[in-house]
Amino acid sequence: DAKTTQPPSMDCAEGRAANLPCNHSTISGNEYVYWYRQIHSQGPQYIIHGLKNNETNEMASLIITEDRKSSTLILPHATLRDTAVYYCIVRVWVGNSGGSNYKLTFGKGTLLTVNP
Amino acid sequence: GAGVSQSPSNKVTEKGKDVELRCDPISGHTALYWYRQSLGQGLEFLIYFQGNSAPDKSGLPSDRFSAERTGGSVSTLTIQRTQQEDSAVYLCASSLAGGPGNEQFFGPGTRLTVL
């Protein structure tokens, strides 16, 4: 899997948008960008994933640059409960073809602190 | 709907004792994974189940660790003769194998402390 780099920490005011960047300059054409987060003392939580188009779900939006070398996770209205470590990873989609890319490996991630 | 559940949430045991950790995946998820996370460390893959079979046990750190899955649902991770270095949070995840993105949904984990 391609390596990703993220800032170690970020702060955001409650109610404002949180924009978390991720660089993945060595991403391959068949690798997806995934975001997970881990709130203190809880298991990791899947947020969103995408290949090249921007994606939005009930939790967040994912903006992927045209060259796919970087992406940004956007939490549109951050709340105190969004304080967590956010992990950006790139991996091949297993899909129906099987393969062994199911092993999730997290880097250091970004500690997002939402302040009141 | 119900997510992945794990029990117990916390387990304190003495060195040399055996422990069993349980995972109930999301209903209908055929793939199940065990990971562990030591304090301040990243995620360490242990084992992957597809149905009741385990095509990948490569992450089990020693033969003291074993896991089984019955009925394509509940899984049990057993650690025999526990050692202090086994202390960690043991996380279980499940996924709808073959689904878009194959995203894994995690349980809350079992915090194991070996004294």
Side-chain angles (χ1 to χ4, degrees):
Chain A
D1 291 343
K3 183 177 178 180
T4 63
T5 55
Q6 300 176 252
S9 63
M10 291 183 65
D11 286 291
C12 178
E14 186 178 19
R16 304 297 294 269
N19 298 290
L20 293 97
C22 180
N23 287 320
H24 32 79
S25 58
T26 59
I27 192 170
S28 300
N30 62 348
E31 288 182 313
Y32 283 66
V33 180
Y34 286 75
W35 283 84
Y36 283 78
R37 73 179 182 183
Q38 190 166 21
I39 296 169
H40 183 62
S41 296
Q42 296 185 22
Q45 178 187 22
Y46 165 81
I47 301 174
I48 198 168
H49 75 279
L51 182 62
K52 56 183 179 180
N53 297 322
N54 297 338
E55 301 288 342
T56 296
N57 62 20
E58 64 278 5
M59 289 184 68
S61 294
L62 174 61
I63 308 298
I64 303 173
T65 58
E66 191 169 345
D67 63 7
R68 301 207 327 120
K69 293 185 177 183
S70 65
S71 61
T72 301
L73 178 74
I74 300 172
L75 307 179
H77 306 287
T79 71
L80 299 180
R81 288 173 297 191
D82 291 323
T83 293
V85 179
Y86 287 76
Y87 297 101
C88 167
I89 61 175
V90 292
R91 54 200 286 258
V92 175
W93 170 42
V94 175
N96 290 315
S97 62
S100 61
N101 290 301
Y102 41 74
K103 301 177 186 179
L104 287 179
T105 304
F106 293 161
K108 299 287 187 184
T110 296
L111 173 59
L112 173 68
T113 302
V114 181
N115 300 304
Chain B
V4 177
S5 61
Q6 293 185 245
S7 61
S9 55
N10 279 285
K11 177 71 177 179
V12 180
T13 190
E14 294 179 348
K15 178 181 174 181
K17 300 283 189 184
D18 298 351
V19 296
E20 278 191 358
L21 312 179
R22 177 188 168 106
C23 172
D24 282 88
I26 293 172
S27 178
H29 280 194
T30 60
L32 186 146
Y33 317 80
W34 283 97
Y35 295 86
R36 73 177 176 181
Q37 192 171 34
S38 301
L39 187 62
Q41 300 299 311
L43 217 55
E44 179 185 1
F45 168 82
L46 297 178
I47 189 169
Y48 156 61
F49 284 94
Q50 179 58 48
N52 290 335
S53 63
D56 189 348
K57 305 178 183 179
S58 63
L60 295 178
S62 75
D63 58 8
R64 296 186 296 104
F65 288 72
S66 64
E68 64 176 13
R69 189 180 185 196
T70 56
S73 181
V74 173
S75 176
T76 303
L77 177 69
T78 301
I79 309 173
Q80 295 178 310
R81 306 180 303 281
T82 53
Q83 303 295 312
Q84 289 183 331
E85 60 264 28
D86 299 334
S87 295
V89 176
Y90 287 80
L91 292 160
C92 175
S94 70
S95 68
L96 188 59
N102 199 29
E103 51 266 29
Q104 298 178 25
F105 296 89
F106 284 81
T110 292
R111 182 175 298 278
L112 174 66
T113 303
V114 182
L115 302 177

